[in-house]
Amino acid sequence: MSKPPVTLGSTLTCPACGYAEAMTMPTDACQWFHECASCKTLLTPKPGDCCVFCSYGTVPCPPIQLGGSCCG
Ligand SMILES: [Zn+2]
């Protein structure tokens, strides 16, 4: 009855300036947008990805880690 472990820490790397920011992912929702703390570029998911963590993070988002798809 135990769930597989999920990594909530992910480091987002800005594609515009390369700034890496350690983030904690929400478990109950996907995060579509993230504003780079360095250059203020608004990151959005790449085509086919569900959230910015899947596109730019070191770890995919929790729903993906659990083997499902998230928001579709
Ligand atoms: Zn940036």
Side-chain angles (χ1 to χ4, degrees):
M1 297 297 278
S2 62
K3 294 179 180 178
V6 174
T7 302
L8 293 182
S10 182
T11 300
L12 280 179
T13 302
C14 173
C17 72
Y19 179 77
E21 185 174 0
M23 302 279 295
T24 299
M25 295 183 281
T27 55
D28 57 344
C30 287
Q31 186 170 336
W32 263 91
F33 302 109
H34 173 73
E35 185 184 275
C36 174
S38 178
C39 70
K40 306 303 180 187
T41 293
L42 188 64
L43 309 188
T44 54
K46 295 174 185 174
D49 283 336
C50 63
C51 65
V52 291
F53 293 108
C54 292
S55 289
Y56 304 109
T58 52
V59 187
C61 69
I64 296 296
Q65 289 182 50
L66 291 172
S69 58
C70 49
C71 332

